[in-house]
Amino acid sequence: MLALGLVACGSATSTGETSAAGAVRMKIGEPQKLFYPGETVESEGVEVLAAIFAPLVKYDEDKKLVEYIADSIKTSDNRVWTIKIKSGFTWHNGDPLTAQNYVDAWNYSANQENAQSANYFFARIQGYEDLNPGEGKTPTAKGMSGLKVIDEETFQVTLTQPFSQFSTMLGYTAFYPLPEVAFGDDGKITEEYAKKPIGQGLFKIDAPYNKGSDQAISLTRYEGFKGEQPKFDKLQFKIYNSAETAWNDLQGGNIDIQEQLPPSAISTAKAELGDRYIDQEDAGIGYIGFPLISTDQYKDVRIRRAISMAIDRKTITETVFSGTRAPADDFINPLLEGYRPGACTACVYDPAAAKELYVEAGGPRTLELGSNMDNGHKEWIEAVANNLRSNLGIEVKVSPYEKFQQILDELDAKTYTGMFRSGWIIDYPSAENYLTPIFSTGAIKTGSNYAGYSNPDFDRLVAKGDSASSAEQSLKFYKKADDLLLRDLPMIPVFYYRMNAAFSEHVKGVKINLLNQVEWVSVEKAV
């Protein structure tokens, strides 16, 4: 879920504003796209969809899988999986939730003709290649042969090879189902649906979302949801382009939940808010990336290594973020099995060695560093730029973007050639999720591999990890794949996030889960 800072307008005055009187109000940035589940791979859109849809599985505090909409997920060989959904769940229009809804949604996202960003999540399913023959070619099937409906509440998934962690993936947005009404006569998801998606989760959306003009998205509790219900009726996502503005609004009681505070607020938030300040571990990673697919400027790995060694991670995390970040030293976050402290030798601050290596490699005299500047990114990006200027003796141009989606669009189009800020929040709790979606060759076209990194040895190691007989065996290969990233540095891990959130005196019971999503059933309006 490439994320951490999509943005839009500074206040909320949309048509949905008046319909949300008395609502629980949460700050978000502007979603990158409309609400196509298979096209939504960034944090802002994912947060909204997580309120509208309910996943097959969730994760407990120990990062273990808990069946949610799924009644059972069974396999005897890690290759053929039988998924049975619980009875009685319905779509927001009253239609019953069926196994066919999952098969239809997954086939749609997996079909190259639909150009869904989450396409690669289905690459392990048998028949995926029939839907993805390559550019200029037409799919030879309407669906993947590995998806089969058994009955109204049961479907079977056959993978091309065993994958011990397949069930762990199923809590991610890409694996949501879709109702029949989502599709038009041409078999495509309609724009009408993407503006006002009908889900099967806790809340239903009140009105179509007009991206670019609406500054709030209002939802109402779905009384027909069979599982545990939220304790309040109205939810509103308010869109901001400034974390500082949102913080001021939270202090003034104009919003109720802010998931990431600006650095300027962190040092005083605990004293000011007490128990309404949330400080907890986070599985996210902040990166500086290199568009290797768009330019040869960073082709020499020595240049990338020198840039990494010139960054003073410790000072940035302690000073800019008031100690609420930790210097990154691996491509796998410490919260997940597979993390190895000190694995990234190029992450050790050594300005003298960095300059010597940079000169030896003939590094460019001028570099560009692009980033959106909301949500506290301005401060640390400027700090990185200053590190590179002083330690490498070069010019660094910081290119500010109003919205993160703008730089993502340029990276998608392969037109951006500067270094770029990036961040990753996990989609599901597995070391593999720090590898495949961001660095595999298959994720260049349809995933989040914005660097364009392609290494056949890396792909093979990840594939071996996928097909290993157990999670423990998988981890051995994932660590070897991680070793290649540490050697090649297609992106530079800079810091590990912490969740620094806050909520107003109007609500209580706010909990934020491992995927950085609010657990709405725990939230209550304060008396």
Side-chain angles (χ1 to χ4, degrees):
M1 182 176 51
L2 190 69
L4 308 173
L6 297 185
V7 296
C9 303
S11 61
T13 55
S14 76
T15 55
E17 180 81 10
T18 56
S19 66
V24 172
R25 301 152 299 175
M26 178 178 175
K27 178 264 179 189
I28 63 169
E30 183 182 72
Q32 185 186 9
K33 300 175 182 179
L34 293 178
F35 299 122
Y36 302 87
E39 183 70 345
T40 302
V41 295
E42 41 71 34
S43 60
E44 315 303 323
V46 165
E47 185 77 60
V48 176
L49 287 180
I52 297 172
F53 288 83
L56 285 165
V57 304
K58 301 187 82 169
Y59 313 100
D60 64 18
E61 292 182 358
D62 295 322
K63 310 175 194 67
K64 302 299 183 184
L65 180 150
V66 177
E67 290 165 351
Y68 190 51
I69 299 301
D71 187 53
S72 64
I73 303 174
K74 298 180 179 179
T75 183
S76 60
D77 60 2
N78 290 332
R79 181 170 178 263
V80 179
W81 298 76
T82 301
I83 302 172
K84 181 176 176 59
I85 60 175
K86 294 174 182 175
S87 301
F89 282 93
T90 60
W91 294 98
H92 295 160
N93 64 356
D95 290 346
L97 175 67
T98 68
Q100 188 67 52
N101 297 146
Y102 288 90
V103 171
D104 290 344
W106 296 10
N107 276 327
Y108 185 87
S109 293
N111 192 320
Q112 69 175 32
E113 293 190 333
N114 298 323
Q116 299 292 282
S117 296
N119 171 288
Y120 66 97
F121 278 97
F122 303 94
R124 296 179 177 90
I125 299 176
Q126 183 176 284
Y128 173 84
E129 292 186 355
D130 295 334
L131 297 184
N132 295 271
E135 190 171 350
K137 298 180 181 179
T138 302
T140 58
K142 293 183 178 180
M144 292 179 285
S145 59
L147 293 182
K148 179 182 178 182
V149 173
I150 304 300
D151 58 41
E152 285 291 301
E153 297 175 348
T154 311
F155 63 107
Q156 189 177 81
V157 185
T158 301
L159 309 180
T160 54
Q161 296 183 38
F163 180 37
S164 63
Q165 299 170 77
F166 175 70
S167 57
T168 303
M169 298 177 66
L170 299 179
Y172 182 48
T173 310
F175 297 97
Y176 288 157
L178 284 169
E180 290 184 25
V181 295
F183 302 97
D185 293 338
D186 60 357
K188 304 286 188 181
I189 297 175
T190 65
E191 183 175 306
E192 178 185 12
Y193 177 84
K195 287 184 173 183
K196 189 182 179 185
I198 294 171
Q200 32 68 283
L202 299 174
F203 294 91
K204 56 184 179 181
I205 191 168
D206 291 344
Y209 167 59
N210 298 297
K211 177 175 162 54
S213 58
D214 284 358
Q215 297 172 331
I217 303 166
S218 296
L219 301 93
T220 300
R221 180 173 64 178
Y222 176 48
E223 300 292 347
F225 186 73
K226 186 183 176 184
E228 184 179 0
Q229 289 267 357
K231 301 176 182 67
F232 59 95
D233 294 329
K234 292 283 187 178
L235 172 63
Q236 186 181 75
F237 295 103
K238 299 182 72 172
I239 299 171
Y240 288 81
N241 72 345
S242 167
E244 286 78 11
T245 301
W247 168 239
N248 291 335
D249 276 1
L250 187 135
Q251 291 173 298
N254 296 317
I255 60 170
D256 299 309
I257 301 172
Q258 184 169 1
E259 206 171 39
Q260 195 66 55
L261 300 184
S264 58
I266 291 173
S267 61
T268 61
K270 176 62 177 176
E272 181 175 342
L273 302 178
D275 291 341
R276 293 190 286 112
Y277 173 60
I278 298 174
D279 178 24
Q280 65 187 41
E281 293 179 309
D282 189 305
I285 303 179
Y287 302 102
I288 296 295
F290 303 98
L292 305 177
I293 198 171
S294 305
T295 178
D296 289 335
Q297 189 175 20
Y298 312 98
K299 184 177 181 180
D300 191 329
V301 70
R302 294 176 297 173
I303 294 174
R304 307 196 294 274
R305 188 175 185 87
I307 290 171
S308 180
M309 294 165 61
I311 298 173
D312 187 355
R313 292 164 174 80
K314 187 173 186 291
T315 298
I316 289 173
T317 55
E318 291 180 352
T319 303
V320 176
F321 292 109
S322 301
T324 59
R325 303 288 186 272
D329 54 0
D330 194 2
F331 278 89
I332 298 172
N333 185 285
L335 284 183
L336 276 291
E337 290 187 36
Y339 164 73
R340 295 166 293 172
C344 180
T345 57
C347 295
V348 176
Y349 183 51
D350 191 339
K355 185 170 185 178
E356 181 179 348
L357 186 62
Y358 195 80
V359 172
E360 176 187 305
R365 300 303 306 163
T366 301
L367 295 176
E368 179 183 4
L369 176 54
S371 174
N372 56 304
M373 293 300 183
D374 69 308
N375 288 340
H377 297 307
K378 180 179 187 297
E379 293 85 350
W380 78 268
I381 286 297
E382 289 287 3
V384 167
N386 285 332
N387 280 168
L388 301 183
R389 292 178 186 122
S390 60
N391 294 331
L392 300 181
I394 60 173
E395 295 294 323
V396 179
K397 173 190 175 185
V398 174
S399 297
Y401 282 75
E402 180 186 4
K403 302 178 181 182
F404 191 38
Q405 67 186 66
Q406 294 170 329
I407 195 169
L408 289 183
D409 290 343
E410 289 186 25
L411 288 165
D412 270 333
K414 312 297 186 291
T415 58
Y416 181 76
T417 58
M419 298 182 294
F420 58 93
R421 181 204 72 79
S422 179
W424 186 254
I425 298 172
I426 62 170
D427 306 314
Y428 45 88
S430 169
E432 178 271 334
N433 192 236
Y434 293 103
L435 306 176
T436 307
I438 324 173
F439 299 110
S440 69
T441 301
I444 294 174
K445 185 174 178 60
T446 61
S448 298
N449 186 350
Y450 293 103
Y453 175 70
S454 180
N455 184 332
D457 291 334
F458 173 86
D459 294 336
R460 279 193 290 269
L461 285 168
V462 172
K464 286 182 178 179
D466 290 351
S467 59
S469 58
S470 67
E472 293 74 20
Q473 289 296 318
S474 294
L475 210 53
K476 293 180 181 179
F477 292 104
Y478 294 150
K479 288 178 180 178
K480 291 180 179 179
D482 182 32
D483 286 338
L484 293 183
L485 297 180
L486 294 166
R487 182 195 71 185
D488 296 345
L489 296 175
M491 294 207 291
I492 295 171
V494 179
F495 56 79
Y496 300 125
Y497 277 84
R498 284 189 70 84
M499 175 59 65
N500 304 112
F503 55 96
S504 78
E505 59 188 8
H506 299 143
V507 296
K508 60 182 181 179
V510 177
K511 294 181 181 179
I512 300 174
N513 63 28
L514 183 70
L515 306 185
N516 286 11
Q517 297 166 4
V518 175
E519 292 286 357
W520 294 114
V521 295
S522 72
V523 178
E524 297 181 57
K525 298 279 287 190
V527 178

PDB file of all heavy atoms in Angstrom, residues 45-70:
ATOM      1  N   GLY A  45      -7.410   5.947   0.196  1.00  0.00           N
ATOM      2  CA  GLY A  45      -8.520   5.201  -0.361  1.00  0.00           C
ATOM      3  C   GLY A  45      -8.783   3.907   0.390  1.00  0.00           C
ATOM      4  O   GLY A  45      -9.937   3.498   0.589  1.00  0.00           O
ATOM      5  N   VAL A  46      -7.712   3.260   0.830  1.00  0.00           N
ATOM      6  CA  VAL A  46      -7.844   2.011   1.579  1.00  0.00           C
ATOM      7  C   VAL A  46      -8.597   2.240   2.892  1.00  0.00           C
ATOM      8  O   VAL A  46      -9.429   1.422   3.297  1.00  0.00           O
ATOM      9  CB  VAL A  46      -6.456   1.390   1.843  1.00  0.00           C
ATOM     10  CG1 VAL A  46      -6.526   0.308   2.910  1.00  0.00           C
ATOM     11  CG2 VAL A  46      -5.895   0.797   0.552  1.00  0.00           C
ATOM     12  N   GLU A  47      -8.321   3.362   3.565  1.00  0.00           N
ATOM     13  CA  GLU A  47      -9.009   3.668   4.827  1.00  0.00           C
ATOM     14  C   GLU A  47     -10.511   3.791   4.617  1.00  0.00           C
ATOM     15  O   GLU A  47     -11.318   3.296   5.413  1.00  0.00           O
ATOM     16  CB  GLU A  47      -8.454   4.962   5.427  1.00  0.00           C
ATOM     17  CG  GLU A  47      -8.996   5.310   6.790  1.00  0.00           C
ATOM     18  CD  GLU A  47      -8.385   4.496   7.920  1.00  0.00           C
ATOM     19  OE1 GLU A  47      -7.168   4.559   8.109  1.00  0.00           O
ATOM     20  OE2 GLU A  47      -9.148   3.807   8.628  1.00  0.00           O
ATOM     21  N   VAL A  48     -10.896   4.461   3.532  1.00  0.00           N
ATOM     22  CA  VAL A  48     -12.321   4.621   3.233  1.00  0.00           C
ATOM     23  C   VAL A  48     -12.948   3.270   2.904  1.00  0.00           C
ATOM     24  O   VAL A  48     -14.014   2.918   3.433  1.00  0.00           O
ATOM     25  CB  VAL A  48     -12.522   5.620   2.079  1.00  0.00           C
ATOM     26  CG1 VAL A  48     -14.007   5.710   1.705  1.00  0.00           C
ATOM     27  CG2 VAL A  48     -11.985   7.000   2.455  1.00  0.00           C
ATOM     28  N   LEU A  49     -12.291   2.503   2.035  1.00  0.00           N
ATOM     29  CA  LEU A  49     -12.847   1.207   1.645  1.00  0.00           C
ATOM     30  C   LEU A  49     -12.944   0.245   2.824  1.00  0.00           C
ATOM     31  O   LEU A  49     -13.841  -0.593   2.875  1.00  0.00           O
ATOM     32  CB  LEU A  49     -12.017   0.595   0.525  1.00  0.00           C
ATOM     33  CG  LEU A  49     -12.173   1.242  -0.853  1.00  0.00           C
ATOM     34  CD1 LEU A  49     -11.290   0.537  -1.882  1.00  0.00           C
ATOM     35  CD2 LEU A  49     -13.619   1.224  -1.321  1.00  0.00           C
ATOM     36  N   ALA A  50     -12.031   0.374   3.787  1.00  0.00           N
ATOM     37  CA  ALA A  50     -12.060  -0.513   4.951  1.00  0.00           C
ATOM     38  C   ALA A  50     -13.295  -0.268   5.813  1.00  0.00           C
ATOM     39  O   ALA A  50     -13.695  -1.157   6.579  1.00  0.00           O
ATOM     40  CB  ALA A  50     -10.799  -0.334   5.785  1.00  0.00           C
ATOM     41  N   ALA A  51     -13.888   0.908   5.710  1.00  0.00           N
ATOM     42  CA  ALA A  51     -15.129   1.184   6.429  1.00  0.00           C
ATOM     43  C   ALA A  51     -16.350   0.684   5.668  1.00  0.00           C
ATOM     44  O   ALA A  51     -17.397   0.386   6.266  1.00  0.00           O
ATOM     45  CB  ALA A  51     -15.261   2.684   6.692  1.00  0.00           C
ATOM     46  N   ILE A  52     -16.215   0.564   4.345  1.00  0.00           N
ATOM     47  CA  ILE A  52     -17.344   0.184   3.488  1.00  0.00           C
ATOM     48  C   ILE A  52     -17.389  -1.317   3.238  1.00  0.00           C
ATOM     49  O   ILE A  52     -18.464  -1.903   3.087  1.00  0.00           O
ATOM     50  CB  ILE A  52     -17.256   0.958   2.150  1.00  0.00           C
ATOM     51  CG1 ILE A  52     -17.389   2.463   2.400  1.00  0.00           C
ATOM     52  CG2 ILE A  52     -18.315   0.488   1.157  1.00  0.00           C
ATOM     53  CD1 ILE A  52     -17.121   3.320   1.180  1.00  0.00           C
ATOM     54  N   PHE A  53     -16.217  -1.959   3.192  1.00  0.00           N
ATOM     55  CA  PHE A  53     -16.114  -3.396   2.933  1.00  0.00           C
ATOM     56  C   PHE A  53     -15.634  -4.129   4.183  1.00  0.00           C
ATOM     57  O   PHE A  53     -15.039  -3.527   5.080  1.00  0.00           O
ATOM     58  CB  PHE A  53     -15.143  -3.672   1.785  1.00  0.00           C
ATOM     59  CG  PHE A  53     -15.665  -3.294   0.428  1.00  0.00           C
ATOM     60  CD1 PHE A  53     -15.571  -1.976  -0.018  1.00  0.00           C
ATOM     61  CD2 PHE A  53     -16.239  -4.237  -0.406  1.00  0.00           C
ATOM     62  CE1 PHE A  53     -16.042  -1.619  -1.272  1.00  0.00           C
ATOM     63  CE2 PHE A  53     -16.718  -3.888  -1.661  1.00  0.00           C
ATOM     64  CZ  PHE A  53     -16.621  -2.575  -2.096  1.00  0.00           C
ATOM     65  N   ALA A  54     -15.873  -5.419   4.220  1.00  0.00           N
ATOM     66  CA  ALA A  54     -15.379  -6.272   5.303  1.00  0.00           C
ATOM     67  C   ALA A  54     -14.515  -7.366   4.692  1.00  0.00           C
ATOM     68  O   ALA A  54     -14.938  -8.042   3.749  1.00  0.00           O
ATOM     69  CB  ALA A  54     -16.541  -6.885   6.077  1.00  0.00           C
ATOM     70  N   PRO A  55     -13.299  -7.579   5.195  1.00  0.00           N
ATOM     71  CA  PRO A  55     -12.380  -8.559   4.605  1.00  0.00           C
ATOM     72  C   PRO A  55     -12.688  -9.989   5.032  1.00  0.00           C
ATOM     73  O   PRO A  55     -13.388 -10.226   6.022  1.00  0.00           O
ATOM     74  CB  PRO A  55     -11.028  -8.111   5.148  1.00  0.00           C
ATOM     75  CG  PRO A  55     -11.358  -7.534   6.498  1.00  0.00           C
ATOM     76  CD  PRO A  55     -12.687  -6.849   6.312  1.00  0.00           C
ATOM     77  N   LEU A  56     -12.137 -10.924   4.302  1.00  0.00           N
ATOM     78  CA  LEU A  56     -12.283 -12.329   4.657  1.00  0.00           C
ATOM     79  C   LEU A  56     -11.615 -12.629   5.992  1.00  0.00           C
ATOM     80  O   LEU A  56     -12.123 -13.417   6.799  1.00  0.00           O
ATOM     81  CB  LEU A  56     -11.673 -13.227   3.566  1.00  0.00           C
ATOM     82  CG  LEU A  56     -12.482 -13.358   2.277  1.00  0.00           C
ATOM     83  CD1 LEU A  56     -11.619 -13.960   1.168  1.00  0.00           C
ATOM     84  CD2 LEU A  56     -13.723 -14.216   2.500  1.00  0.00           C
ATOM     85  N   VAL A  57     -10.465 -12.007   6.235  1.00  0.00           N
ATOM     86  CA  VAL A  57      -9.731 -12.238   7.486  1.00  0.00           C
ATOM     87  C   VAL A  57      -9.254 -10.911   8.058  1.00  0.00           C
ATOM     88  O   VAL A  57      -9.127  -9.911   7.351  1.00  0.00           O
ATOM     89  CB  VAL A  57      -8.512 -13.172   7.271  1.00  0.00           C
ATOM     90  CG1 VAL A  57      -8.941 -14.494   6.650  1.00  0.00           C
ATOM     91  CG2 VAL A  57      -7.438 -12.503   6.413  1.00  0.00           C
ATOM     92  N   LYS A  58      -8.985 -10.930   9.367  1.00  0.00           N
ATOM     93  CA  LYS A  58      -8.338  -9.805  10.040  1.00  0.00           C
ATOM     94  C   LYS A  58      -7.145 -10.368  10.808  1.00  0.00           C
ATOM     95  O   LYS A  58      -6.843 -11.559  10.702  1.00  0.00           O
ATOM     96  CB  LYS A  58      -9.330  -9.088  10.958  1.00  0.00           C
ATOM     97  CG  LYS A  58     -10.556  -8.544  10.213  1.00  0.00           C
ATOM     98  CD  LYS A  58     -11.440  -7.695  11.086  1.00  0.00           C
ATOM     99  CE  LYS A  58     -10.917  -6.291  11.183  1.00  0.00           C
ATOM    100  NZ  LYS A  58     -11.863  -5.348  11.810  1.00  0.00           N
ATOM    101  N   TYR A  59      -6.497  -9.521  11.617  1.00  0.00           N
ATOM    102  CA  TYR A  59      -5.300  -9.944  12.334  1.00  0.00           C
ATOM    103  C   TYR A  59      -5.390  -9.483  13.788  1.00  0.00           C
ATOM    104  O   TYR A  59      -5.824  -8.356  14.060  1.00  0.00           O
ATOM    105  CB  TYR A  59      -4.048  -9.359  11.669  1.00  0.00           C
ATOM    106  CG  TYR A  59      -4.063  -9.545  10.163  1.00  0.00           C
ATOM    107  CD1 TYR A  59      -4.439  -8.500   9.323  1.00  0.00           C
ATOM    108  CD2 TYR A  59      -3.760 -10.776   9.589  1.00  0.00           C
ATOM    109  CE1 TYR A  59      -4.501  -8.665   7.952  1.00  0.00           C
ATOM    110  CE2 TYR A  59      -3.813 -10.950   8.216  1.00  0.00           C
ATOM    111  CZ  TYR A  59      -4.183  -9.896   7.399  1.00  0.00           C
ATOM    112  OH  TYR A  59      -4.260 -10.071   6.041  1.00  0.00           O
ATOM    113  N   ASP A  60      -4.986 -10.373  14.702  1.00  0.00           N
ATOM    114  CA  ASP A  60      -5.052 -10.013  16.110  1.00  0.00           C
ATOM    115  C   ASP A  60      -3.790  -9.257  16.529  1.00  0.00           C
ATOM    116  O   ASP A  60      -2.915  -8.951  15.702  1.00  0.00           O
ATOM    117  CB  ASP A  60      -5.283 -11.254  16.983  1.00  0.00           C
ATOM    118  CG  ASP A  60      -4.141 -12.258  16.923  1.00  0.00           C
ATOM    119  OD1 ASP A  60      -3.016 -11.893  16.505  1.00  0.00           O
ATOM    120  OD2 ASP A  60      -4.365 -13.425  17.302  1.00  0.00           O
ATOM    121  N   GLU A  61      -3.670  -8.964  17.816  1.00  0.00           N
ATOM    122  CA  GLU A  61      -2.545  -8.164  18.300  1.00  0.00           C
ATOM    123  C   GLU A  61      -1.215  -8.891  18.176  1.00  0.00           C
ATOM    124  O   GLU A  61      -0.158  -8.273  18.244  1.00  0.00           O
ATOM    125  CB  GLU A  61      -2.802  -7.755  19.759  1.00  0.00           C
ATOM    126  CG  GLU A  61      -3.961  -6.774  19.898  1.00  0.00           C
ATOM    127  CD  GLU A  61      -4.186  -6.330  21.327  1.00  0.00           C
ATOM    128  OE1 GLU A  61      -3.461  -6.829  22.215  1.00  0.00           O
ATOM    129  OE2 GLU A  61      -5.064  -5.493  21.551  1.00  0.00           O
ATOM    130  N   ASP A  62      -1.264 -10.212  18.006  1.00  0.00           N
ATOM    131  CA  ASP A  62      -0.043 -10.999  17.800  1.00  0.00           C
ATOM    132  C   ASP A  62       0.255 -11.206  16.325  1.00  0.00           C
ATOM    133  O   ASP A  62       1.083 -12.045  15.958  1.00  0.00           O
ATOM    134  CB  ASP A  62      -0.166 -12.357  18.501  1.00  0.00           C
ATOM    135  CG  ASP A  62      -0.262 -12.217  20.009  1.00  0.00           C
ATOM    136  OD1 ASP A  62       0.429 -11.343  20.558  1.00  0.00           O
ATOM    137  OD2 ASP A  62      -1.048 -12.964  20.625  1.00  0.00           O
ATOM    138  N   LYS A  63      -0.479 -10.474  15.462  1.00  0.00           N
ATOM    139  CA  LYS A  63      -0.302 -10.530  14.005  1.00  0.00           C
ATOM    140  C   LYS A  63      -0.742 -11.871  13.426  1.00  0.00           C
ATOM    141  O   LYS A  63      -0.318 -12.247  12.330  1.00  0.00           O
ATOM    142  CB  LYS A  63       1.149 -10.226  13.606  1.00  0.00           C
ATOM    143  CG  LYS A  63       1.715  -8.957  14.238  1.00  0.00           C
ATOM    144  CD  LYS A  63       3.171  -8.780  13.913  1.00  0.00           C
ATOM    145  CE  LYS A  63       3.806  -7.734  14.786  1.00  0.00           C
ATOM    146  NZ  LYS A  63       3.890  -8.118  16.193  1.00  0.00           N
ATOM    147  N   LYS A  64      -1.575 -12.579  14.148  1.00  0.00           N
ATOM    148  CA  LYS A  64      -2.085 -13.869  13.686  1.00  0.00           C
ATOM    149  C   LYS A  64      -3.420 -13.676  12.977  1.00  0.00           C
ATOM    150  O   LYS A  64      -4.223 -12.815  13.328  1.00  0.00           O
ATOM    151  CB  LYS A  64      -2.253 -14.837  14.859  1.00  0.00           C
ATOM    152  CG  LYS A  64      -0.969 -15.086  15.650  1.00  0.00           C
ATOM    153  CD  LYS A  64       0.119 -15.708  14.784  1.00  0.00           C
ATOM    154  CE  LYS A  64       1.363 -16.006  15.617  1.00  0.00           C
ATOM    155  NZ  LYS A  64       2.475 -16.528  14.778  1.00  0.00           N
ATOM    156  N   LEU A  65      -3.652 -14.526  11.989  1.00  0.00           N
ATOM    157  CA  LEU A  65      -4.866 -14.455  11.186  1.00  0.00           C
ATOM    158  C   LEU A  65      -6.096 -14.823  12.007  1.00  0.00           C
ATOM    159  O   LEU A  65      -6.077 -15.794  12.772  1.00  0.00           O
ATOM    160  CB  LEU A  65      -4.718 -15.394   9.989  1.00  0.00           C
ATOM    161  CG  LEU A  65      -5.851 -15.508   8.987  1.00  0.00           C
ATOM    162  CD1 LEU A  65      -5.268 -15.834   7.618  1.00  0.00           C
ATOM    163  CD2 LEU A  65      -6.820 -16.632   9.387  1.00  0.00           C
ATOM    164  N   VAL A  66      -7.165 -14.048  11.844  1.00  0.00           N
ATOM    165  CA  VAL A  66      -8.461 -14.334  12.461  1.00  0.00           C
ATOM    166  C   VAL A  66      -9.504 -14.315  11.358  1.00  0.00           C
ATOM    167  O   VAL A  66      -9.640 -13.316  10.637  1.00  0.00           O
ATOM    168  CB  VAL A  66      -8.816 -13.276  13.530  1.00  0.00           C
ATOM    169  CG1 VAL A  66     -10.199 -13.560  14.105  1.00  0.00           C
ATOM    170  CG2 VAL A  66      -7.771 -13.243  14.631  1.00  0.00           C
ATOM    171  N   GLU A  67     -10.236 -15.408  11.181  1.00  0.00           N
ATOM    172  CA  GLU A  67     -11.274 -15.446  10.151  1.00  0.00           C
ATOM    173  C   GLU A  67     -12.385 -14.471  10.511  1.00  0.00           C
ATOM    174  O   GLU A  67     -12.831 -14.402  11.660  1.00  0.00           O
ATOM    175  CB  GLU A  67     -11.796 -16.878  10.014  1.00  0.00           C
ATOM    176  CG  GLU A  67     -10.744 -17.805   9.390  1.00  0.00           C
ATOM    177  CD  GLU A  67     -11.056 -19.280   9.550  1.00  0.00           C
ATOM    178  OE1 GLU A  67     -12.011 -19.593  10.294  1.00  0.00           O
ATOM    179  OE2 GLU A  67     -10.347 -20.097   8.958  1.00  0.00           O
ATOM    180  N   TYR A  68     -12.813 -13.699   9.526  1.00  0.00           N
ATOM    181  CA  TYR A  68     -13.796 -12.642   9.767  1.00  0.00           C
ATOM    182  C   TYR A  68     -15.056 -12.910   8.947  1.00  0.00           C
ATOM    183  O   TYR A  68     -15.997 -13.505   9.431  1.00  0.00           O
ATOM    184  CB  TYR A  68     -13.170 -11.288   9.453  1.00  0.00           C
ATOM    185  CG  TYR A  68     -13.987 -10.093   9.876  1.00  0.00           C
ATOM    186  CD1 TYR A  68     -14.480  -9.982  11.172  1.00  0.00           C
ATOM    187  CD2 TYR A  68     -14.249  -9.045   8.987  1.00  0.00           C
ATOM    188  CE1 TYR A  68     -15.221  -8.873  11.569  1.00  0.00           C
ATOM    189  CE2 TYR A  68     -14.981  -7.931   9.371  1.00  0.00           C
ATOM    190  CZ  TYR A  68     -15.468  -7.849  10.665  1.00  0.00           C
ATOM    191  OH  TYR A  68     -16.200  -6.749  11.045  1.00  0.00           O
ATOM    192  N   ILE A  69     -15.071 -12.540   7.686  1.00  0.00           N
ATOM    193  CA  ILE A  69     -16.188 -12.929   6.818  1.00  0.00           C
ATOM    194  C   ILE A  69     -16.048 -14.396   6.428  1.00  0.00           C
ATOM    195  O   ILE A  69     -17.021 -15.095   6.198  1.00  0.00           O
ATOM    196  CB  ILE A  69     -16.252 -12.038   5.564  1.00  0.00           C
ATOM    197  CG1 ILE A  69     -16.470 -10.584   5.970  1.00  0.00           C
ATOM    198  CG2 ILE A  69     -17.381 -12.482   4.633  1.00  0.00           C
ATOM    199  CD1 ILE A  69     -17.731 -10.321   6.764  1.00  0.00           C
ATOM    200  N   ALA A  70     -14.822 -14.863   6.358  1.00  0.00           N
ATOM    201  CA  ALA A  70     -14.590 -16.290   6.081  1.00  0.00           C
ATOM    202  C   ALA A  70     -15.019 -17.125   7.284  1.00  0.00           C
ATOM    203  O   ALA A  70     -14.669 -16.823   8.423  1.00  0.00           O
ATOM    204  CB  ALA A  70     -13.121 -16.534   5.783  1.00  0.00           C
TER     205      ALA A  70
END
